[in-house]
Amino acid sequence: MPPRRLTVSAMARPRGRDSDDESNNDNILRCLSCQEEYDTDDLGTCRECYLEVHETEEDLKSQIEDLKSKLSFLKLPSPILNPYSTDLILLPADEPSPAPIPAHKSVLVSRSPVFKAMLENDMTESRSGTIKISDVSFDTLRAFINYLYTAEAPLDNQLACNLLVLGEKYQVKHLKAHCEQHLIAGMNWDKAIENYAFAYQYNCKQLQQVSLEVIMDNMPSLTQNEYYAVLVDSNPRLIVDIYESYLIKQINSAGGIRL
Amino acid sequence: MPPRRLTVSAMARPRGRDSDDESNNDNILRCLSCQEEYDTDDLGTCRECYLEVHETEEDLKSQIEDLKSKLSFLKLPSPILNPYSTDLILLPADEPSPAPIPAHKSVLVSRSPVFKAMLENDMTESRSGTIKISDVSFDTLRAFINYLYTAEAPLDNQLACNLLVLGEKYQVKHLKAHCEQHLIAGMNWDKAIENYAFAYQYNCKQLQQVSLEVIMDNMPSLTQNEYYAVLVDSNPRLIVDIYESYLIKQINSAGGIRL
């Protein structure tokens, strides 16, 4: 069906259409935003709301620019590239000949309550100016320290997991949430059980919830998932949780089933 | 004139109106955003653009939340309230018994190329760990240092001027721009000539331009402005610039005048 043609005022017409315009007689509904014709089935907003939303959008974009500029101002240079006035060394303790990573006590203390307790009190690390961190590679530790200075990390799935573990250990909530969102964005059935177990271990409520939803959507394939057998051996209690959730879902959706 | 009533599809009606609704026969143009009736004189956008803009707005708001969260993570605690591991003292040199303000070399170096040159090279300040700053009060210096850590300052007109001077001296562009915007937002005729001279002295192009526009709009009162006589004495060259700008404006608007 072609668009219905109705009389509209000059206010609603695109700019450049005046009484001399040859198409002036085409009195049609025309969108102020995309300038396309539309019919009454496709009505959106009135003129006032359009102008208001347009203003809001400009305002939000301007806020974003301000915030980006502040962020760029507040970012600190990586101490690995620029170790000026560093007063601390971090070592990935399990590496055979660990390369030291320099840092500033003041930055670590401001980002992590665990580092704060460690460094502000008279503990070994504070006195020696060295923190040994186990179960971590040089690359992960470097990415962790860089994040504390810049709030940025070039995440892939593995690095997101590794940094989330450090985020949990050192209570760097912002980093942990950043990694959790990365894992949620990359979620699929292949990763769902593994992510579910990981989220349980490191206390990531949202990741655990999203993983469980994906598992619930794929219950007929549950036992074929590569990670199922691993989890049955390593943490059968979590597998029981999955089955219990499934049962509750069944009961709720069927309005009660016979057991 | 009451709104024209036209047939619209169920898609454009507010939710909750279905075939059983008693007002179903009121087929009117209704805005999807404010839910108010409108007539064709007030057409805004089509449905598709409304939904798109709505999505964009949600997206922009989510970006703002992310950026705010990053900012909050990157802000450093004021070294005045929390002097842990500071390695530098700043002194407002002109005060009779100046109170020292502690800071971290690494932070000052990252925020200001002037501090960077001063501290990274083997200069007196670097060796002594003390920077004396003249022509500044304790309160201004404290606000300056706090800004370097937090990107925040509770500005009034006077503090904005004082911090802009420090922003120019130490090349902290972000602070300078922040103060300039504050002065522009508070601009009026009483402040215009003073702001014009101030902007010229501290190289603030935008503030100078806005001040000049306000002066041009108030030329009949020029000589009555409180700051006019001051500037005639202190910097007559700037007063000449104002008159030259006025003359050019007159020539342009009149399409040429006889001199």
Side-chain angles (χ1 to χ4, degrees):
Chain A
M1 192 182 75
R4 294 184 57 186
R5 297 189 173 232
L6 304 162
T7 303
V8 294
S9 82
M11 285 177 77
R13 278 182 228 129
R15 287 181 186 183
R17 292 202 170 196
D18 55 27
S19 56
D20 298 330
D21 193 311
E22 60 180 352
S23 57
N24 191 35
N25 291 326
D26 280 347
N27 287 323
I28 47 182
L29 296 178
R30 191 178 286 279
C31 173
L32 281 186
S33 176
C34 68
Q35 301 290 335
E36 296 289 323
E37 296 176 23
Y38 64 99
D39 66 22
T40 49
D41 280 354
D42 291 320
L43 283 174
T45 66
C46 65
R47 182 181 173 82
E48 199 176 326
C49 283
Y50 161 69
L51 294 174
E52 223 168 70
V53 164
H54 189 66
E55 210 171 279
T56 307
E57 196 178 319
E58 293 305 307
D59 193 51
L60 293 174
K61 282 180 180 167
S62 155
Q63 275 187 55
I64 287 176
E65 284 314 302
D66 281 356
L67 289 168
K68 281 185 177 170
S69 156
K70 268 195 183 181
L71 263 186
S72 153
F73 176 71
L74 284 179
K75 268 181 209 167
L76 292 165
S78 160
I80 299 150
L81 299 173
N82 180 5
Y84 173 72
S85 85
T86 49
D87 52 6
L88 187 70
I89 291 291
L90 292 110
L91 288 174
D94 302 330
E95 300 237 332
S97 33
I101 294 178
H104 300 87
K105 287 179 181 175
S106 60
V107 176
L108 269 59
V109 158
S110 77
R111 307 300 195 224
S112 152
V114 177
F115 282 134
K116 188 177 168 72
M118 195 184 277
L119 292 170
E120 286 191 353
N121 299 320
D122 188 27
M123 292 173 76
T124 316
E125 292 85 355
S126 178
R127 287 195 302 273
S128 68
T130 300
I131 300 177
K132 291 180 184 171
I133 298 185
S134 51
D135 300 323
V136 69
S137 70
F138 173 82
D139 286 345
T140 299
L141 188 54
R142 180 174 58 182
F144 179 58
I145 296 301
N146 275 338
Y147 194 89
L148 300 185
Y149 282 69
T150 62
E152 283 172 359
L155 294 183
D156 57 24
N157 195 66
Q158 189 55 53
L159 187 58
C161 291
N162 295 344
L163 289 181
L164 193 150
V165 172
L166 284 176
E168 170 72 0
K169 183 173 176 185
Y170 292 99
Q171 292 175 37
V172 185
K173 285 183 189 170
H174 191 270
L175 170 61
K176 199 181 152 192
H178 184 59
C179 295
E180 190 173 357
Q181 289 309 314
H182 182 89
L183 295 175
I184 288 171
M187 174 76 72
N188 59 34
W189 167 233
D190 287 342
K191 296 176 190 162
I193 298 180
E194 189 173 8
N195 276 345
Y196 181 75
F198 180 78
Y200 174 82
Q201 189 176 357
Y202 295 104
N203 193 30
C204 306
K205 299 283 180 227
Q206 204 187 345
L207 180 63
Q208 197 176 354
Q209 180 60 32
V210 174
S211 308
L212 187 62
E213 282 164 16
V214 175
I215 295 168
M216 291 297 104
D217 290 343
N218 290 274
M219 281 303 278
S221 314
L222 181 68
T223 57
Q224 277 86 56
N225 185 294
E226 191 185 353
Y227 204 73
Y228 180 82
V230 179
L231 197 59
V232 168
D233 284 343
S234 64
N235 195 344
R237 174 67 228 179
L238 273 186
I239 293 289
V240 171
D241 283 349
I242 290 173
Y243 281 118
E244 282 179 1
S245 297
Y246 182 63
L247 187 63
I248 289 168
K249 192 182 164 201
Q250 291 287 305
I251 293 170
N252 289 341
S253 65
I257 57 171
R258 287 184 192 171
L259 299 173
Chain B
M1 192 182 77
R4 293 182 56 186
R5 296 187 171 233
L6 304 161
T7 304
V8 295
S9 80
M11 285 177 78
R13 278 181 230 131
R15 285 181 188 183
R17 294 200 171 198
D18 56 26
S19 55
D20 298 329
D21 194 312
E22 59 180 347
S23 56
N24 191 34
N25 292 326
D26 280 348
N27 287 321
I28 47 182
L29 293 180
R30 191 180 288 276
C31 173
L32 281 186
S33 176
C34 67
Q35 301 290 335
E36 294 291 322
E37 296 175 25
Y38 64 99
D39 66 21
T40 49
D41 280 354
D42 291 320
L43 282 175
T45 65
C46 64
R47 182 182 173 82
E48 198 176 326
C49 282
Y50 161 70
L51 294 174
E52 223 168 69
V53 164
H54 189 68
E55 210 171 278
T56 306
E57 196 179 319
E58 293 304 306
D59 195 49
L60 292 174
K61 283 181 180 167
S62 153
Q63 274 187 56
I64 287 175
E65 284 313 303
D66 281 355
L67 289 168
K68 281 185 178 169
S69 156
K70 268 194 183 181
L71 263 186
S72 154
F73 177 70
L74 283 179
K75 268 181 209 166
L76 292 165
S78 160
I80 300 150
L81 299 174
N82 180 4
Y84 174 72
S85 85
T86 50
D87 52 6
L88 188 69
I89 290 291
L90 292 110
L91 287 175
D94 302 331
E95 300 236 332
S97 31
I101 294 178
H104 300 88
K105 287 179 181 175
S106 60
V107 177
L108 269 59
V109 158
S110 77
R111 307 299 195 225
S112 152
V114 177
F115 284 134
K116 188 177 168 70
M118 195 184 278
L119 293 170
E120 285 191 353
N121 298 320
D122 189 27
M123 291 173 76
T124 317
E125 292 85 356
S126 177
R127 287 195 302 273
S128 68
T130 301
I131 300 178
K132 291 180 184 169
I133 298 186
S134 51
D135 300 323
V136 69
S137 69
F138 173 81
D139 286 346
T140 300
L141 188 55
R142 180 175 57 183
F144 178 58
I145 296 301
N146 275 339
Y147 193 89
L148 300 185
Y149 282 69
T150 63
E152 282 173 0
L155 293 184
D156 58 24
N157 195 67
Q158 189 54 56
L159 186 59
C161 290
N162 294 344
L163 288 181
L164 193 149
V165 172
L166 284 177
E168 170 72 0
K169 183 173 176 185
Y170 291 100
Q171 292 175 38
V172 185
K173 286 183 189 171
H174 191 270
L175 170 61
K176 201 181 150 192
H178 184 58
C179 295
E180 191 174 355
Q181 290 309 315
H182 182 89
L183 294 175
I184 288 172
M187 175 75 74
N188 59 34
W189 167 233
D190 288 341
K191 296 176 190 162
I193 299 181
E194 189 173 8
N195 275 345
Y196 182 74
F198 180 78
Y200 173 82
Q201 189 177 355
Y202 294 105
N203 192 31
C204 306
K205 300 282 179 228
Q206 205 188 344
L207 180 62
Q208 197 175 353
Q209 180 60 33
V210 174
S211 308
L212 188 62
E213 282 165 16
V214 175
I215 294 169
M216 291 297 104
D217 290 343
N218 290 275
M219 280 304 278
S221 314
L222 180 68
T223 57
Q224 277 85 55
N225 185 293
E226 191 186 353
Y227 204 73
Y228 180 81
V230 179
L231 198 58
V232 167
D233 284 343
S234 65
N235 196 344
R237 175 66 227 178
L238 274 186
I239 294 288
V240 172
D241 283 349
I242 290 174
Y243 281 118
E244 283 178 2
S245 297
Y246 182 61
L247 187 62
I248 289 168
K249 193 183 162 199
Q250 290 287 306
I251 293 170
N252 288 342
S253 65
I257 58 170
R258 287 185 193 169
L259 298 173

